[in-house]
Amino acid sequence: MVARALVFQKRSDEAAVLLGQALAVQEQVFGPVHPRVASALNEVGNVAMTRNRHEEARTAFRRMASIYEEVHAGKHYLIGIAKANLASAYMADKEYVRAVALFREALAMYAQTLPPGHLNVGITSIKLGRALLRQKKYEEAETATLTGYEILKKLTSPSLNFLQNSRSDLGEIYTALGQPEKAARYREELAAVAAKSQKP
């Protein structure tokens, strides 16, 4: 918990040291395969991402997924979270094919374990859409991004980063698809929310 607080203060190097200690304690107390160890690995991976240590993050997220798969007999939404996090770590290094495959695996797990309009489904759909967009697969990107956009706009503040990302991506997608009116709609939404958030 102290490490999480340090991350919010952008003191990631200090957080990484504490998380390493916490992970070692969890492993000593609970053994190498336990949900608490997986939870600690999630934090380790997230901090590694903030430090641009993507391979370190991937190692943590892979192990996190492996633990949850063993503990939960291969079916739990936490497996989806681990795979989505792993996909994000690949996307950070522009390994979009791997990222897309893992985002799809995460969504398939969510489909078995979460309601269709869940926040995690929305966020992962938007991330999948961005990975597809980067590969210029515009029709597939449109479907994924719109799915995430529709979910998040019902659940969250209009200024949430993921929702703003989806508006930006939809503007880019519809421009590429030759649909300027639709592109303009999402860019206008993007600009309006950004302007509102800057007002005192």
Side-chain angles (χ1 to χ4, degrees):
M1 294 304 295
V2 174
R4 285 177 180 173
L6 288 169
V7 170
F8 281 117
Q9 295 175 45
K10 302 190 184 303
R11 296 161 64 184
S12 297
D13 291 344
E14 294 172 72
V17 173
L18 277 178
L19 284 170
Q21 295 169 356
L23 177 60
V25 170
Q26 298 283 38
E27 290 175 320
Q28 184 177 359
V29 174
F30 298 106
V33 180
H34 191 277
R36 290 201 181 187
V37 174
S39 180
L41 286 163
N42 185 52
E43 300 298 334
V44 168
N46 288 334
V47 169
M49 289 293 289
T50 68
R51 301 168 81 200
N52 293 316
R53 298 188 176 187
H54 303 148
E55 184 53 46
E56 184 180 321
R58 287 192 285 270
T59 298
F61 293 140
R62 280 191 205 100
R63 189 175 166 210
M64 172 189 170
S66 176
I67 290 171
Y68 282 138
E69 284 174 335
E70 184 169 345
V71 169
H72 296 295
K75 186 177 178 181
H76 199 282
Y77 79 93
L78 290 171
I79 299 168
I81 288 175
K83 292 195 173 186
N85 288 348
L86 180 56
S88 294
Y90 277 116
M91 192 157 72
D93 284 332
K94 301 182 180 180
E95 295 190 46
Y96 300 123
V97 173
R98 284 186 173 185
V100 164
L102 284 162
F103 283 136
R104 291 195 191 282
E105 287 181 29
L107 287 169
M109 183 58 65
Y110 294 155
Q112 299 179 64
T113 56
L114 293 175
H118 194 278
L119 180 67
N120 286 337
V121 177
I123 290 172
T124 302
S125 295
I126 287 167
K127 289 183 173 184
L128 170 61
R130 177 162 283 192
L132 290 163
L133 172 59
R134 295 294 178 261
Q135 295 180 81
K136 300 183 178 181
K137 296 182 176 181
Y138 300 117
E139 290 85 1
E140 291 178 74
E142 177 194 15
T143 300
T145 307
L146 270 179
T147 296
Y149 168 83
E150 293 295 340
I151 291 171
L152 261 58
K153 78 174 186 178
K154 296 174 185 174
L155 298 177
T156 63
S157 162
S159 61
L160 182 79
N161 281 343
F162 290 115
L163 193 51
Q164 285 292 77
N165 288 346
S166 72
R167 293 183 174 108
S168 175
D169 290 351
L170 286 165
E172 191 173 338
I173 289 164
Y174 285 122
T175 296
L177 290 173
Q179 300 179 47
E181 298 85 2
K182 287 185 177 181
R185 171 194 162 187
Y186 291 105
R187 286 180 175 142
E188 286 166 7
E189 281 187 23
L190 180 69
V193 172
K196 187 175 181 180
S197 67
Q198 291 173 3
K199 289 182 179 179

